[in-house]
């Protein structure tokens, strides 16, 4: 019986944005099985997103690139054996593979768990390894809804999705100091995310520069731009094309810092990439720009007004579009700016999950 689940494993190693979209499934499991030990198999690069999460008990590192050398690297073979041993010693009675690939489904089997939940349409024949296959349909087009449907198949109550991000006071202070070094007030800035791991997900940098000028002129906000260390050059291009000062924070923030930076932003404008999804989860005013990826599947959940895309509602269940009219270059400056106006002229109240006693916002509200 599902009521007997005492040790639960979530397998979702990557990517950053997809892990954010899986957070409501974690919270649904915690609320439904409050006494269970919940573990998460994740790549070390994304583990900070889950560290100190109030609904998670254990992080199990998954060194995918290193383990991929198992055929010729003795150390990788040893690491694989060690990982399998750790999974089997977990004695999990429910495993949820939210990645849906052969390797993740195989690890679900190697864990020894007899109840393995996953996607009925998983790639690479991964569905063959699941005992409980859950189909996606029009009622769960969004990945958040699909992940919740999967955990509901195990008896969890996922009717009210909640995004809970860990709060880190040390990171918040680090961000305040970083902003101060650039002469920026910590309550009056907008964040731009002009990069992405995929070039075809990047809105033209010249348009980001013109947008920065409009935001600065209309709202008097300081502009900061962030990204990974390799994206620092993209931000420098942005700085060179804009006529207003832009602080280049690319590569200067940890993942915990990034959460804190976006939590306090007056606005975030981002390509469809991890930092943008963190901003969506934090509930900040947001504009998320989509090209080929389907916003109905991965857009800000319940916040359609934050999406800028061509035909955002007309792409069915497809993950990506090959239709040239969905190219991100077809998104105009005016479209994005009008969405910015909608966010800043009509701000929505920010949300915080008040079951998270570690969140400074929760502590503040409890004192009021």
């Amino acid at each position: 019986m599902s009521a007997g689940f005492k040790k639960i494993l979530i397998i979702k190693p990557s990517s950053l944005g997809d892990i954010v979209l899986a957070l409501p499934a974690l919270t649904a499991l915690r609320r439904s099985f409050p006494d269970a030990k919940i573990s998460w198999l994740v790549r070390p690069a994304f583990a900070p997103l889950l560290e100190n999460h109030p609904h998670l008990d254990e992080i199990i590192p998954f060194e995918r690139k290193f383990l991929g050398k198992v055929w010729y690297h003795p150390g990788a073979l040893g690491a694989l054996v060690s990982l399998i041993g750790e999974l089997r010693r977990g004695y999990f009675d429910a495993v949820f593979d939210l990645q849906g690939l052969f390797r993740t489904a195989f690890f679900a089997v190697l864990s020894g768990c007899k109840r393995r939940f996953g996607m009925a349409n998983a790639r690479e024949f991964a569905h063959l390894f699941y005992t409980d296959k859950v189909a996606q349909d029009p009622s769960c087009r969004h990945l958040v809804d699909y992940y919740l449907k999967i955990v509901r198949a195990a008896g969890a109550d996922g009717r009210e999705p909640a995004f809970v991000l860990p709060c880190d006071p040390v990171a918040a202070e680090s961000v305040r100091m970083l902003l101060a070094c650039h002469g920026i007030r910590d309550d009056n800035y907008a964040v731009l995310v002009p990069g992405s791991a995929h070039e075809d997900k990047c809105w033209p940098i010249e348009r980001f520069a013109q947008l920065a000028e409009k935001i600065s002129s209309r709202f008097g906000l300081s502009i900061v731009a962030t990204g990974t260390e390799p994206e620092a050059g993209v931000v420098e291009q942005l700085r060179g094309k804009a006529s207003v000062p832009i602080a280049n924070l690319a590569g200067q923030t940890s993942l915990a810092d990034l959460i804190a930076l976006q939590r306090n932003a007056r606005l975030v404008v981002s390509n469809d990439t991890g930092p943008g999804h963190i901003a969506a989860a934090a509930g900040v005013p947001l504009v998320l720009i989509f090209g080929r990826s389907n916003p109905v599947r991965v857009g800000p959940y319940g916040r359609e007004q934050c999406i800028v895309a061509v035909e955002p509602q007309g792409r069915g269940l497809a993950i990506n579009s090959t239709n040239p009219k969905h190219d991100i270059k077809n998104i105009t400056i005016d479209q994005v700016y009008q969405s910015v106006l909608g966010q800043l002229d009509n701000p929505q109240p920010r949300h915080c999950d008040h079951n998270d006693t570690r969140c400074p916002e929760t502590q503040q509200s409890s004192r009021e």
Side-chain angles (χ1 to χ4, degrees), residues 332-354:
T332 67
I333 295 172
D334 187 62
Q335 284 176 293
V336 177
Y337 184 57
Q338 289 304 315
S339 185
V340 167
L341 294 179
Q343 291 294 302
L344 292 181
D345 287 339
N346 301 288
Q348 300 297 311
R350 304 190 184 199
H351 65 263
C352 175
D353 190 293
H354 295 290

Side-chain angles (χ1 to χ4, degrees), residues 18-196:
D18 286 350
I19 291 171
V20 171
L21 296 178
L23 290 177
L26 166 63
T27 295
L29 288 169
R30 171 55 67 210
R31 290 175 174 173
S32 302
F33 308 109
D35 298 323
K37 177 182 178 181
I38 304 180
S39 306
W40 192 311
L41 184 72
V42 66
R43 288 175 56 184
F46 306 124
L49 183 66
L50 301 172
E51 290 173 356
N52 300 315
H53 195 289
H55 299 159
L56 187 65
D57 298 293
E58 179 185 33
I59 294 173
I60 301 176
F62 176 58
E63 298 274 7
R64 182 181 68 83
K65 290 185 178 180
F66 183 57
L67 293 175
K69 303 176 181 179
V70 67
W71 307 113
Y72 58 89
H73 194 300
L77 177 59
L80 177 60
V81 171
S82 177
L83 176 58
I84 294 171
E86 183 175 3
L87 293 176
R88 295 192 70 86
R89 288 190 299 272
Y91 299 105
F92 299 107
D93 44 26
V95 173
F96 298 88
D97 178 15
L98 303 183
Q99 195 79 13
L101 297 174
F102 174 85
R103 61 176 174 269
T104 53
F106 194 48
F107 277 112
V109 172
L110 291 176
S111 73
C113 181
K114 294 182 179 179
R115 294 292 304 277
R116 302 180 298 277
F117 299 82
M119 307 171 187
N121 62 342
R123 293 170 288 172
E124 302 174 355
F125 301 101
H127 63 280
L128 299 177
F129 294 94
Y130 307 138
T131 60
D132 296 75
K133 305 173 182 64
V134 182
Q136 187 177 28
D137 56 50
S139 71
C140 56
R141 289 192 299 171
H142 200 289
L143 279 183
V144 169
D145 290 322
Y146 194 15
Y147 294 155
L148 289 173
K149 184 178 181 182
I150 292 172
V151 300
R152 282 200 302 269
D157 182 357
R159 289 174 294 180
E160 297 183 5
F163 288 89
V164 178
L165 292 168
C167 290
D168 186 337
V170 174
E173 180 60 26
S174 174
V175 167
R176 278 193 288 269
M177 294 176 63
L178 180 61
L179 291 172
C181 288
H182 289 272
I184 296 173
R185 285 169 38 195
D186 63 4
D187 62 350
N188 194 58
Y189 63 91
V191 176
L192 303 185
V193 186
S196 170

Side-chain angles (χ1 to χ4, degrees), residues 189-259:
Y189 63 91
V191 176
L192 303 185
V193 186
S196 170
H198 305 278
E199 186 175 348
D200 60 352
K201 287 188 174 184
C202 292
W203 197 46
I205 201 70
E206 297 84 1
R207 298 180 200 176
F208 265 111
Q210 294 178 53
L211 183 69
E213 294 164 3
K214 287 176 173 287
I215 293 171
S216 176
S217 174
R218 172 70 180 266
F219 297 100
L221 298 178
S222 298
I223 308 295
V224 305
T226 189
T228 62
E229 187 173 351
E231 291 166 354
V234 173
V235 176
E236 280 304 305
Q237 292 179 40
L238 173 60
R239 281 164 46 86
K241 293 179 181 296
S243 62
V244 296
I246 297 178
N248 185 350
L249 303 188
Q252 298 185 43
T253 57
S254 67
L255 196 45
D257 292 341
L258 179 63
I259 295 172

